[in-house]
Amino acid sequence: MTTLLGTRPTGSRSGRPPHGPPGGPAAWLRDLAMGARFAVTGGREGWFRTALSAIGVGIGVAVLLLACSAPTVLDAWHGREKARENLGQLHEPRASDRTVRYAQADTTFHGEPVRGRLVRPDGAHPPVPPGIKRLPGPGEMVVSPALRELLAEPGSAQLRARLDYKVVGTIGDNGLLGPRELTFVAGLDDRSAGEAYRISRFGKLFDPQPPSARLVLLTVLACVVLLMPVVVFIGTAVRFGGDRREARLAALRLVGADIPTTRRIAAGEAVVGAVLGLAAGLLFFLTGRQAVGAVTLWGVNVFPADVVPSPGLAALVAVLVPAASVLVTLFAQRSVTAEPLGVVRNRPVARRRLGWRLALPLTGLTLLLSLAWDPQAVVDDWFHVVRLALGAALLLLGVTALLPWLVEAVVARLRGGPVPWQLAVRRLQLNSGAAQRAVGGITVAVAGAIAIHMVFTTYQAGYAQAYEESARRPVIQLSGGTSDGQGTRDALATLRRAPGVTWAHGTVRASAAPAGDRGTRDPDGYRSVRTAMVTVGDCAELRRKARIGSCRDGDVFVTENRGDRATDPAFVRPGVRLNLNPPEGYEVTGPPRPWTVPDSARRVQGIRHPGEDLPGDVLATPGALSPARLQDPTMELVVGYDKAREAEAVERIRTVAFRVNPGLRELSAIDNPHDRQYDGVRTALFLGAVIVLLLIGAGLIVSTVEQLRERRRLLSVLDAFGTRRATVGWSLLWQTAIPVALGLALAVTAGIGLGTVLLTLSGAEVHLDGAVIAGIAGSAAGVVLLVTLLSLPPLWRMMRPDGLRTE
Amino acid sequence: MTPDGSILAGEGLYKTYGHTSALDGADFSVHPGEVVAVMGPSGSGKSTLLHCLAGIVRPDSGSVRYDGRELTTLPDAERSALRRTDFGFVFQFGQLVPELTCLENVALPLRLNGTKRKAAEATAREWLARLEVDDIHGKRPGEVSGGQGQRVAVARALAGRPRVLFADEPTGALDSLNGERVLTLLTDAARDTRAAVVLVTHEPRVAAYSDREITVRDGRVRESLAGL
Amino acid sequence: MSIGHTLLGLLESGPRHGYDLKRAFDEHFGQDRPLHYGQVYSTMSRLLKNGLVEVDGIEAGAGPERKRYAITDAGVTDVAQWLQRPEKPEPYLHSTLYTKVVLALMTGRDAAELLDTQRAEHLRLMRGLTERKRQGDLADQLICDHALFHLEADLRWLELTAARLDKLARAVRG
């Protein structure tokens, strides 16, 4: 609404106006400075409002800074891993004074993964990974501080028995990914000789794998979903207590400030909140960073020092947040005109248009659905990633834009009801701006949280299902290099003696190619060839793999039902000539090792045990094929256990296995690591949602109390003619509850919608965690209640007859 | 009813706010159907007297008897209930709930008393007609003129058929023509319903609509003999 | 305005010569209309005749009039009645009311009560006019309004005076 008064330069008639005609940077600066002064003067309440804005913006800024740190964190993490690792060199170096034999000895203790590496220097000057002064000798190890603590715990007897090395040192921080990492480096002995390879240096790691579609989806979504609410929230936070500020601007208009001036003053005030918010955000970030070291998420634990915002992005935050706060303020001022005698909201407004508000989420939805044709493309193409991010962002933004329309549309249709309800509804019909602003923040945050949550729940459900299936069978599979059949027999004997073990089976396996097949070389130089799986074991072990009937040492069998392996080993049949040294890999060593499947080999039906490997294409007794002839023979052990007989059965088996060969890998799904991560994510989402809700609640209280104060006289009148306090109290509750309920309904709808679309995109089945949605809705209800409760004492105070005094 | 026939009587009312004495031993009484003007300069204690008589504030000492009941010892909730059922109020300004329509504003006290919405709004409609503002029933207070708004307020005060109507500067914000019309309607309606009216004003022309006036000065009441 | 009552009132604080009376009168009430000696003599002789004053003494001297007047009990009563009696509300009443107030203050009477009495009388008349207006036609209403506005102005003056009584009392006595 522009009035004649508003467009006329003030003070043109007489005297010097408090604010001269607009123009020039000096006027700008003066007005901004004046606004800034208003932000910090104005008594306790003024400070409260400014502080609230600053805290709100601060939380947003802290999250933004954290997000800006993600690239550096990942870089640092990868850098640390690379610096201490060598997964094998293309051309294995020759033994020298400067080489070391290296093997992996990872283990798991009570579900916690422990990274283990084994080293045996070939000479006096071996390479040493960072964080370690001297490589440990045989029977020695160096441990990370966290592992040292874990070893010292009373419940860690099995771990102490497993890592039966003398601790000779502690790994320094530069040899760790994060302060809580459990890792050790121990001396390599003959037990793991089959696992070891020779390296001449550390600091070699494959480049990070291209992320999976799911990961890309999650990352992009997390960024958008986390940052959108932050942006909206910052927009809300800078306007905490806005009504009061507008009233002050009206007073300024009375003394002659023109509209552009008041806008600049408002902007100045917002800048102070934003700048204080930046400072608060930095403080929150630095404080929160210290806590980062104690947190392990998705197996990622990082050093606080690694959490450094990337300078460019941080600078962007520092510039954009104040700029955004000014823009938001100016945008808000657009619909509000501070007139000398009060604030004129553009009322009666033309009904809020549905068109563009609906267009936003629909465009977002369309963008997302357009990806559905080819979900895999998300991984390959940045254009698709941008579409995904933009789609999610538009959908969430659309929710915020849709809310005012929804509140208005719904509230306009409400009528009747008891007096408190009527009062609340009518109030919302007349002016629901402040409530909508606050609730808009809730809506987008909750929608985002629900969407993230759904995606997690679903992925989680997938993992959980898989784990549940495999964990139903109390079985541990172990796998590791071996040189002959005897090692396997010994290992089985040892395992069978372990308490809690009910049974144990094991074979040696390797692959074989058709004799004479040289395979093909791909452009990278990697040679691949058709292979068949050869399993060597005693008759007793082979009987578990197939229905072989009678068996004597020296027998060979060919399985018929080989399942759906990628490379079809159809070439396997009795009498076929195989090459036991298949020409696979970048470098093929040694001559072909021919072996003929005897013509006498019987065709048998293989037995598939759920959760275990396929039986193999050729089953041979050691008498027919010595494991020593195989290339890279692997022993595959399957151990059954009974927790009823021994509670620590799993840990005992692991310990026994580790002592047989530290290099044995466990291939089982006993501890679902995702479970705890899931809980962590859930807790974090929940906590985040609650913090946002509480903050918005604080903003709501401010605006409610301001509204009450404005209506002090009316409240006194209501009291005078005998209105029960409860009546007014209830109307306050409804007044907050109605927009929050609408916002939540919208948020839940949008969140579930977004989640469903995303999950459909990645081809996953949709799962909903009702408890979390109920929890978030419950927290919102709690916040509404809290806001109302905290508004009651001022309400009681203002319902006193003091307000009736006209003097 | 009190022995002397008055429906509401205050005796020896004292009230101080902080160190300021607002009422300093004030006496007052009003009969059914009587319009009493309470006059006096600003800050003399007129409004405080009204608040004490209406049970909005409790005097520090003294008694307020309404229809045989002592108001000063009545619990807060009962005084509130009494104000809902037996009293009506008109103030100078800012008394209409801005979000409610004029009709809903008039119906509000009835609804607070438990009357069903339809019935309350029907009664409200009658009173709006009586106060000659039937045409604005669907408008909000912000959309009507001061005079219309004040008539709505009077309608609201009378709609509950109060036995005592308290009017605190009811025409203070109106021009004289509007003010006189509102006063005429108010006093006529009150006389019709035999409601006692306590009319606080500092304007002689408003007081002239009363049957009798009293003057509050420095917290004390001076009854003007001439009126009796 | 009653000069007689005014002079009587002035005498209440003590006997005075005619000349003193004129000076006191002019000082308090004669802002725009000083009293002539002649008026004093004629008024005093009327009051003497009515027994409201008496001659307190005659001083020897050159001047023509050296009589000192004192108020009698009857005079005091007369002043009191005059002060208590509300004036009939009429335009330009305030000079009389002003005189009354000042005199009441000078003679230690309750000026506030005087004002209240007058207010009540004004309101009584206004109430009558208002009643007439409610029942009358437009002409009646206009006539009544004219009167009401004047009465209202008087009442405002009464209010203001009432509010400033303390100040006025100090000025009159001091």
Side-chain angles (χ1 to χ4, degrees), chain C residues 58-72:
Chain C
I58 303 169
E59 279 176 26
E65 179 54 80
R66 305 301 293 175
K67 278 184 192 158
R68 223 159 67 125
Y69 301 97
I71 191 163
T72 63

PDB file of all heavy atoms in Angstrom, chain C residues 58-72:
ATOM      1  N   ILE C  58     -14.776  56.821  63.534  1.00  0.00           N
ATOM      2  CA  ILE C  58     -14.456  57.855  62.562  1.00  0.00           C
ATOM      3  C   ILE C  58     -13.142  58.474  62.962  1.00  0.00           C
ATOM      4  O   ILE C  58     -12.969  58.946  64.082  1.00  0.00           O
ATOM      5  CB  ILE C  58     -15.560  58.926  62.498  1.00  0.00           C
ATOM      6  CG1 ILE C  58     -16.904  58.261  62.171  1.00  0.00           C
ATOM      7  CG2 ILE C  58     -15.216  59.993  61.447  1.00  0.00           C
ATOM      8  CD1 ILE C  58     -18.082  59.193  62.347  1.00  0.00           C
ATOM      9  N   GLU C  59     -12.215  58.463  62.037  1.00  0.00           N
ATOM     10  CA  GLU C  59     -10.907  59.029  62.371  1.00  0.00           C
ATOM     11  C   GLU C  59     -10.889  60.500  62.018  1.00  0.00           C
ATOM     12  O   GLU C  59     -11.442  60.915  60.998  1.00  0.00           O
ATOM     13  CB  GLU C  59      -9.817  58.287  61.584  1.00  0.00           C
ATOM     14  CG  GLU C  59      -9.467  56.990  62.243  1.00  0.00           C
ATOM     15  CD  GLU C  59      -8.453  56.210  61.408  1.00  0.00           C
ATOM     16  OE1 GLU C  59      -7.696  56.815  60.646  1.00  0.00           O
ATOM     17  OE2 GLU C  59      -8.475  54.946  61.528  1.00  0.00           O
ATOM     18  N   ALA C  60     -10.238  61.225  62.862  1.00  0.00           N
ATOM     19  CA  ALA C  60     -10.106  62.650  62.563  1.00  0.00           C
ATOM     20  C   ALA C  60      -9.125  62.824  61.429  1.00  0.00           C
ATOM     21  O   ALA C  60      -8.132  62.131  61.355  1.00  0.00           O
ATOM     22  CB  ALA C  60      -9.608  63.393  63.815  1.00  0.00           C
ATOM     23  N   GLY C  61      -9.379  63.733  60.534  1.00  0.00           N
ATOM     24  CA  GLY C  61      -8.439  63.949  59.432  1.00  0.00           C
ATOM     25  C   GLY C  61      -9.047  64.879  58.407  1.00  0.00           C
ATOM     26  O   GLY C  61     -10.178  65.352  58.535  1.00  0.00           O
ATOM     27  N   ALA C  62      -8.244  65.089  57.374  1.00  0.00           N
ATOM     28  CA  ALA C  62      -8.655  66.058  56.376  1.00  0.00           C
ATOM     29  C   ALA C  62      -9.650  65.480  55.382  1.00  0.00           C
ATOM     30  O   ALA C  62     -10.510  66.178  54.877  1.00  0.00           O
ATOM     31  CB  ALA C  62      -7.412  66.550  55.602  1.00  0.00           C
ATOM     32  N   GLY C  63      -9.566  64.188  55.119  1.00  0.00           N
ATOM     33  CA  GLY C  63     -10.367  63.576  54.055  1.00  0.00           C
ATOM     34  C   GLY C  63     -11.840  63.634  54.360  1.00  0.00           C
ATOM     35  O   GLY C  63     -12.252  63.793  55.517  1.00  0.00           O
ATOM     36  N   PRO C  64     -12.602  63.473  53.301  1.00  0.00           N
ATOM     37  CA  PRO C  64     -14.046  63.564  53.443  1.00  0.00           C
ATOM     38  C   PRO C  64     -14.634  62.324  54.131  1.00  0.00           C
ATOM     39  O   PRO C  64     -15.601  62.418  54.849  1.00  0.00           O
ATOM     40  CB  PRO C  64     -14.544  63.657  52.004  1.00  0.00           C
ATOM     41  CG  PRO C  64     -13.464  63.035  51.187  1.00  0.00           C
ATOM     42  CD  PRO C  64     -12.186  63.256  51.939  1.00  0.00           C
ATOM     43  N   GLU C  65     -14.024  61.238  53.923  1.00  0.00           N
ATOM     44  CA  GLU C  65     -14.629  59.994  54.423  1.00  0.00           C
ATOM     45  C   GLU C  65     -13.624  59.227  55.253  1.00  0.00           C
ATOM     46  O   GLU C  65     -12.731  58.580  54.728  1.00  0.00           O
ATOM     47  CB  GLU C  65     -15.068  59.151  53.210  1.00  0.00           C
ATOM     48  CG  GLU C  65     -15.679  57.820  53.574  1.00  0.00           C
ATOM     49  CD  GLU C  65     -16.824  57.947  54.547  1.00  0.00           C
ATOM     50  OE1 GLU C  65     -17.960  58.280  54.128  1.00  0.00           O
ATOM     51  OE2 GLU C  65     -16.609  57.710  55.746  1.00  0.00           O
ATOM     52  N   ARG C  66     -13.750  59.291  56.551  1.00  0.00           N
ATOM     53  CA  ARG C  66     -12.805  58.576  57.388  1.00  0.00           C
ATOM     54  C   ARG C  66     -13.516  57.529  58.225  1.00  0.00           C
ATOM     55  O   ARG C  66     -13.011  57.112  59.251  1.00  0.00           O
ATOM     56  CB  ARG C  66     -12.046  59.557  58.305  1.00  0.00           C
ATOM     57  CG  ARG C  66     -11.343  60.677  57.591  1.00  0.00           C
ATOM     58  CD  ARG C  66     -10.328  60.181  56.588  1.00  0.00           C
ATOM     59  NE  ARG C  66      -9.189  59.518  57.203  1.00  0.00           N
ATOM     60  CZ  ARG C  66      -8.224  58.913  56.503  1.00  0.00           C
ATOM     61  NH1 ARG C  66      -8.312  58.862  55.175  1.00  0.00           N
ATOM     62  NH2 ARG C  66      -7.221  58.353  57.133  1.00  0.00           N
ATOM     63  N   LYS C  67     -14.691  57.157  57.783  1.00  0.00           N
ATOM     64  CA  LYS C  67     -15.437  56.166  58.555  1.00  0.00           C
ATOM     65  C   LYS C  67     -14.797  54.780  58.389  1.00  0.00           C
ATOM     66  O   LYS C  67     -14.364  54.396  57.305  1.00  0.00           O
ATOM     67  CB  LYS C  67     -16.889  56.094  58.047  1.00  0.00           C
ATOM     68  CG  LYS C  67     -17.777  57.176  58.612  1.00  0.00           C
ATOM     69  CD  LYS C  67     -19.209  56.952  58.123  1.00  0.00           C
ATOM     70  CE  LYS C  67     -20.061  58.187  58.441  1.00  0.00           C
ATOM     71  NZ  LYS C  67     -21.233  58.249  57.564  1.00  0.00           N
ATOM     72  N   ARG C  68     -14.776  54.056  59.518  1.00  0.00           N
ATOM     73  CA  ARG C  68     -14.332  52.671  59.448  1.00  0.00           C
ATOM     74  C   ARG C  68     -15.537  51.766  59.639  1.00  0.00           C
ATOM     75  O   ARG C  68     -16.258  51.914  60.615  1.00  0.00           O
ATOM     76  CB  ARG C  68     -13.298  52.401  60.524  1.00  0.00           C
ATOM     77  CG  ARG C  68     -12.129  51.585  60.031  1.00  0.00           C
ATOM     78  CD  ARG C  68     -10.967  51.791  60.946  1.00  0.00           C
ATOM     79  NE  ARG C  68     -11.293  51.216  62.229  1.00  0.00           N
ATOM     80  CZ  ARG C  68     -10.514  50.294  62.832  1.00  0.00           C
ATOM     81  NH1 ARG C  68      -9.413  49.877  62.248  1.00  0.00           N
ATOM     82  NH2 ARG C  68     -10.846  49.829  64.017  1.00  0.00           N
ATOM     83  N   TYR C  69     -15.752  50.857  58.663  1.00  0.00           N
ATOM     84  CA  TYR C  69     -16.921  49.984  58.748  1.00  0.00           C
ATOM     85  C   TYR C  69     -16.533  48.622  59.286  1.00  0.00           C
ATOM     86  O   TYR C  69     -15.448  48.114  59.022  1.00  0.00           O
ATOM     87  CB  TYR C  69     -17.543  49.788  57.356  1.00  0.00           C
ATOM     88  CG  TYR C  69     -17.980  51.081  56.711  1.00  0.00           C
ATOM     89  CD1 TYR C  69     -17.176  51.743  55.785  1.00  0.00           C
ATOM     90  CD2 TYR C  69     -19.232  51.641  57.054  1.00  0.00           C
ATOM     91  CE1 TYR C  69     -17.568  52.920  55.209  1.00  0.00           C
ATOM     92  CE2 TYR C  69     -19.626  52.830  56.452  1.00  0.00           C
ATOM     93  CZ  TYR C  69     -18.796  53.466  55.542  1.00  0.00           C
ATOM     94  OH  TYR C  69     -19.191  54.615  54.966  1.00  0.00           O
ATOM     95  N   ALA C  70     -17.483  48.037  60.072  1.00  0.00           N
ATOM     96  CA  ALA C  70     -17.290  46.661  60.526  1.00  0.00           C
ATOM     97  C   ALA C  70     -18.549  45.861  60.189  1.00  0.00           C
ATOM     98  O   ALA C  70     -19.635  46.423  60.099  1.00  0.00           O
ATOM     99  CB  ALA C  70     -17.024  46.625  62.037  1.00  0.00           C
ATOM    100  N   ILE C  71     -18.410  44.579  59.983  1.00  0.00           N
ATOM    101  CA  ILE C  71     -19.555  43.755  59.614  1.00  0.00           C
ATOM    102  C   ILE C  71     -20.297  43.327  60.869  1.00  0.00           C
ATOM    103  O   ILE C  71     -19.676  43.070  61.905  1.00  0.00           O
ATOM    104  CB  ILE C  71     -19.098  42.537  58.787  1.00  0.00           C
ATOM    105  CG1 ILE C  71     -20.310  41.806  58.159  1.00  0.00           C
ATOM    106  CG2 ILE C  71     -18.289  41.560  59.600  1.00  0.00           C
ATOM    107  CD1 ILE C  71     -19.923  40.873  57.039  1.00  0.00           C
ATOM    108  N   THR C  72     -21.598  43.251  60.778  1.00  0.00           N
ATOM    109  CA  THR C  72     -22.388  42.798  61.926  1.00  0.00           C
ATOM    110  C   THR C  72     -22.632  41.308  61.788  1.00  0.00           C
ATOM    111  O   THR C  72     -22.330  40.703  60.757  1.00  0.00           O
ATOM    112  CB  THR C  72     -23.749  43.506  61.960  1.00  0.00           C
ATOM    113  OG1 THR C  72     -24.467  43.134  60.774  1.00  0.00           O
ATOM    114  CG2 THR C  72     -23.587  45.008  62.030  1.00  0.00           C
TER     115      THR C  72
END
